[in-house]
Amino acid sequence: MLMSEKQNLLDFDNEQLVAQLKLHGHKPFRAKQLLKWVHQRGQADFDAMTDLSKDFRQFLHNDYELSTPSVLIDKTSKDGTRKWLFNIGQNNAIETVFIPEDDRGTLCISSQAGCTVACRFCSTGHQGFNRNLTTAEIIGQLWHARAALQAANPDHTDERIISNVVMMGMGEPLLNYHQVLPALKLMLDDNAYGLSRRRVTVSTSGVVPIMDKLSQDCPVALAVSLHAPNDDLRDRLVPLNKKYPLKELIAACQRYLEFAPRDFITFEYIMLQEVNDSPEHAKELIEIAKQVNCKLNLIPFNPFPESGLYRSSNNRIHRFTGMLLDAGIVTTVRKTRGDDIDAACGQLAGDIKDRTKISQKMQANKAIPIMEIRN
Ligand code: SAH
Ligand code: SF4
């Protein structure tokens, strides 16, 4: 059977859709109408788009489709956290997590099937890398989650069950920039999801040149995965540090702040017992934090069997947090949510058929004596 040659409507932001439609002689306002139907109202059936002419609907039928990855698993945790596992073909799966809180609902979205950065403490990194997600697969997670949550809460008066989006699922969003950017633009577009720039967060392990691009193209809130306060340790925990060391990363954060929607950058710092959680590390971290207007988010490590790492004890987290707070650094400790359904940070693994042999390299990397660098 021939593969469908229809294009997926979810693949295009406003500008791209205008250009597409223009090729077929349609006016720019059609793009706006379509975005409203598809993203604002969540309508997938072209025939239900009643203010479009019959001819235009026929054109849509002929050339376009609207499809999201199919759902393999849909689970809700006892704390209300909901996780979807999506099938993206060829035995690969990606995950999306919704985290409800009193004052907001946050959707955590994946950007790649696997990840090439291969951080030591990350389950996604351990899976290796298969491929970048398309824009439709990225925004499709939001499209699907919103529809599913609305269906589960038909009486919900506020349309915005999802008030915040964080690109903190599987993958490094800034290494899939061309597909992530239109998805971010759709999140912000008033005709689509209409989220403010402060409510959309990109989390990066520190892809310096693309951080600069993002500051120009679509300056949303930025979280930077720091995890270590010196290059020696960061080289081992976040291998991308060898390419973009801390000095360059800090300078990139300072540059980003000029364009950021908030006046701070969030630094994420995973708490690994006797690896990066000593008073010496806290002192080094304070020196970094003083150079960038930032908030620190300490993340208790969520263990997984292959990591060989342990979560810092509550005592050590308490002592570490105390030192940062005493130094005047705004510091929070992330609550673990959804761990009963494997939806906690770093547990998002999906099922990746590794094309890059990263998972094998990581096994070999375990020879690197990470536990010897304790103070
Ligand atoms: N690649 C991007 C975004 C996805 S990872 C990045 O690294 O920022 C999102 C967050 O999950 C990162 O801050 C990462 O540190 C955290 N994380 C990864 N593995 C984890 C684990 N095992 N326990 C807790 N948090 C983890
Ligand atoms: Fe990739 Fe982020 Fe996991 Fe590192 S922490 S391997 S950058 S997804």
Side-chain angles (χ1 to χ4, degrees):
M1 205 173 77
L2 278 175
M3 293 263 293
S4 160
E5 282 170 20
K6 292 184 179 181
Q7 303 212 61
N8 194 343
L9 265 188
L10 294 179
D11 258 326
F12 308 109
D13 66 17
N14 180 57
E15 205 180 319
Q16 295 168 324
L17 206 51
V18 167
Q20 281 272 323
L21 296 179
K22 195 175 168 197
L23 286 177
H24 298 275
H26 295 290
K27 296 251 158 39
F29 78 93
R30 291 287 187 206
K32 190 169 151 186
Q33 282 180 310
L34 263 180
L35 286 183
K36 282 191 171 179
W37 276 116
V38 170
H39 296 286
Q40 214 174 63
R41 301 180 194 148
Q43 183 55 259
D45 176 3
F46 297 150
D47 287 329
M49 302 180 179
T50 44
D51 60 354
L52 304 182
S53 70
K54 229 177 150 196
D55 287 352
F56 188 65
R57 275 185 270 159
Q58 192 52 50
F59 155 74
L60 292 177
H61 275 298
N62 293 344
D63 289 23
Y64 294 93
E65 62 185 8
L66 194 155
S67 73
T68 55
S70 60
V71 177
L72 289 170
I73 295 176
D74 176 352
K75 273 198 219 173
T76 303
S77 153
K78 51 182 186 300
D79 67 17
T81 302
R82 185 162 170 185
K83 173 177 101 165
W84 294 269
L85 187 73
F86 291 102
N87 177 3
I88 56 155
Q90 297 179 324
N91 287 327
N92 288 297
I94 52 142
E95 294 190 358
T96 307
V97 178
F98 175 67
I99 305 138
E101 285 169 289
D102 291 343
D103 58 342
R104 74 181 95 175
T106 304
L107 192 71
C108 179
I109 287 186
S110 295
S111 57
Q112 298 180 308
C115 185
T116 53
V117 182
C119 299
R120 269 296 294 265
F121 48 81
C122 175
S123 174
T124 304
H126 273 256
Q127 297 267 319
F129 177 73
N130 191 271
R131 70 169 172 87
N132 283 326
L133 299 188
T134 63
T135 298
E137 287 164 338
I138 297 165
I139 205 69
Q141 298 169 62
L142 175 54
W143 192 93
H144 179 92
R146 203 194 44 187
L149 291 165
Q150 277 174 349
N153 296 281
D155 300 331
H156 203 286
T157 43
D158 179 8
E159 279 178 6
R160 303 245 168 117
I161 302 175
I162 298 171
S163 61
N164 295 57
V165 173
V166 294
M167 301 291 306
M168 290 186 188
M170 299 165 67
E172 168 50 56
L174 298 189
L175 290 178
N176 183 18
Y177 190 63
H178 290 299
Q179 320 259 23
V180 165
L181 185 61
L184 293 175
K185 290 193 172 164
L186 284 167
M187 292 171 202
L188 306 186
D189 195 322
D190 280 339
N191 295 314
Y193 299 91
L195 297 172
S196 81
R197 291 192 293 132
R198 325 160 48 96
R199 290 179 175 274
V200 174
T201 301
V202 164
S203 175
T204 181
S205 53
V207 193
V208 165
I210 315 294
M211 288 164 65
D212 285 323
K213 271 186 86 50
L214 185 69
S215 75
Q216 302 306 304
D217 296 339
C218 192
V220 292
L222 189 69
V224 170
S225 289
L226 206 57
H227 305 316
N230 61 61
D231 282 321
D232 185 29
L233 181 56
R234 196 162 189 272
D235 281 352
R236 287 179 248 196
L237 291 178
V238 184
L240 190 68
N241 194 67
K242 292 181 206 147
K243 199 162 177 192
Y244 306 115
L246 279 170
K247 198 161 169 243
E248 286 180 34
L249 181 58
I250 291 162
C253 291
Q254 288 162 341
R255 290 194 296 276
Y256 196 89
L257 274 171
E258 288 178 39
F259 305 95
R262 296 173 184 250
D263 60 357
F264 62 89
I265 296 222
T266 305
F267 281 141
E268 295 164 281
Y269 193 98
I270 194 161
M271 296 301 291
L272 297 164
Q273 175 88 358
E274 297 194 18
V275 171
N276 65 355
D277 65 348
S278 73
E280 273 312 305
H281 292 125
K283 281 185 206 152
E284 287 180 307
L285 185 55
I286 289 164
E287 289 315 306
I288 291 180
K290 280 184 183 162
Q291 296 173 54
V292 181
N293 210 359
C294 67
K295 289 189 180 174
L296 262 174
N297 194 208
L298 303 179
I299 313 173
F301 172 62
N302 289 313
F304 56 98
E306 312 82 45
S307 73
L309 298 164
Y310 302 93
R311 177 185 295 188
S312 300
S313 66
N314 288 345
N315 276 346
R316 289 178 80 91
I317 295 178
H318 191 71
R319 180 180 63 185
F320 200 84
T321 311
M323 285 181 70
L324 290 158
L325 289 173
D326 285 348
I329 315 288
V330 180
T331 309
T332 49
V333 180
R334 187 179 293 175
K335 267 189 283 173
T336 282
R337 298 282 304 261
D339 47 358
D340 56 329
I341 55 166
D342 287 342
C345 297
Q347 291 184 334
L348 305 187
D351 184 10
I352 302 302
K353 300 290 167 255
D354 184 13
R355 287 197 297 134
T356 53
K357 304 279 183 286
I358 286 175
S359 44
Q360 279 171 29
K361 277 187 230 151
M362 287 197 73
Q363 283 306 316
N365 260 350
K366 273 199 181 167
I368 298 174
I370 221 147
M371 300 301 272
E372 272 179 27
I373 26 188
R374 65 181 69 158
N375 280 287

